[in-house]
């Protein structure tokens, strides 16, 4: 049975999750309030049952947290619970565009759109600060890098720079060398050769048809190839 008395408690947890991105404890190995999809979904469902209690600013925070989990389907699952009229209003509309761009592997355009949230007049200060936080950027960047590592064994360095929103090859090399998780994904940043070599794994070597269809690797490859071609014109 839906219990409206838990709304305040769940909202407080959402704000604690967001605060973990930019607050005093941001960057810690074990956040005191880790991401909890089930709790966030429960709150979104309660907003459905009791619309007079719904807080759109908190809905936007829930969607932001789900966005950071890309390529999981959390954002999609939550979007089914959020009224269309709310998704059409800012800042949820921009968050929805960000999700669509990630799903379409339009990573370069995603980063531009994502940073627009920082200056969105309709966004709460919590949302702005979370979006601008190094933790949020690092989380998305790592998730995109992991997806590229499943898609490619070797990729043009320009495509990787655009996908990760990294300014140049030297910065990419520094990023990989300075992050233990990134070093497991990337075997070598070949600056002179203009390519990134990813660590061999079953997904980027055999590339079985079933796997590729499941995670849309063909679409990612096509989108990145288009991006490289466009940037070279």
């Amino acid at each position: 049975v839906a219990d409206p008395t838990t709304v305040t408690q769940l909202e407080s947890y959402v704000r604690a999750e967001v605060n973990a991105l930019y607050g005093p404890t941001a960057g810690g190995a074990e956040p005191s309030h880790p991401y909890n999809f089930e709790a966030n979904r429960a709150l979104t469902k309660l907003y459905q049952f009791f619309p007079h209690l719904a807080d759109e600013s908190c809905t936007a925070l829930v969607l932001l947290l789900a966005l950071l989990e890309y390529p999981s389907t959390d954002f999609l699952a939550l979007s089914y619970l959020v009224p269309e009229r709310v998704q059409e209003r800012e800042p949820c509309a921009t968050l929805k565009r960000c999700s669509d761009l990630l799903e379409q592997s339009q990573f370069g355009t995603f980063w531009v759109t994502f940073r627009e949230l920082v200056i969105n007049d309709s966004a709460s200060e919590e949302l702005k600060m979370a979006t601008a936080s190094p933790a949020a950027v690092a989380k998305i960047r790592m998730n995109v890098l992991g997806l590229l590592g499943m898609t490619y064994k070797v990729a043009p360095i320009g495509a990787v720079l655009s996908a990760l929103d990294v300014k140049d090859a030297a910065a990419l090399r520094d990023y990989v060398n300075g992050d233990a998780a990134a070093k497991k994904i990337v075997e070598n940043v070949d600056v002179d050769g203009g390519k990134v070599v990813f660590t061999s794994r079953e997904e980027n070597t055999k590339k079985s048809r079933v796997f590729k269809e499941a995670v849309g690797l063909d679409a990612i490859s096509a989108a990145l190839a288009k991006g490289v071609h466009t940037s070279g014109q």
Side-chain angles (χ1 to χ4, degrees), residues 120-189:
N120 191 304
D121 292 336
S122 299
S124 66
E125 286 305 309
E126 290 170 298
L127 184 69
K128 291 178 180 180
M129 292 177 70
T131 302
S133 69
V137 172
K139 191 170 180 62
I140 296 176
R141 184 173 284 152
M142 180 58 64
N143 290 343
V144 170
L145 181 65
L147 196 58
L148 294 179
M150 289 192 295
T151 314
Y152 292 103
K153 178 62 179 105
V154 179
I157 201 166
V160 177
L161 292 175
S162 176
L164 301 183
D165 193 40
V166 176
K167 64 179 181 178
D168 55 37
L172 177 61
R173 187 168 51 192
D174 290 344
Y175 165 62
V176 171
N177 290 337
D179 191 295
K183 288 181 74 172
K184 291 181 179 179
I185 299 170
V186 178
E187 181 178 307
N188 180 40
V189 177

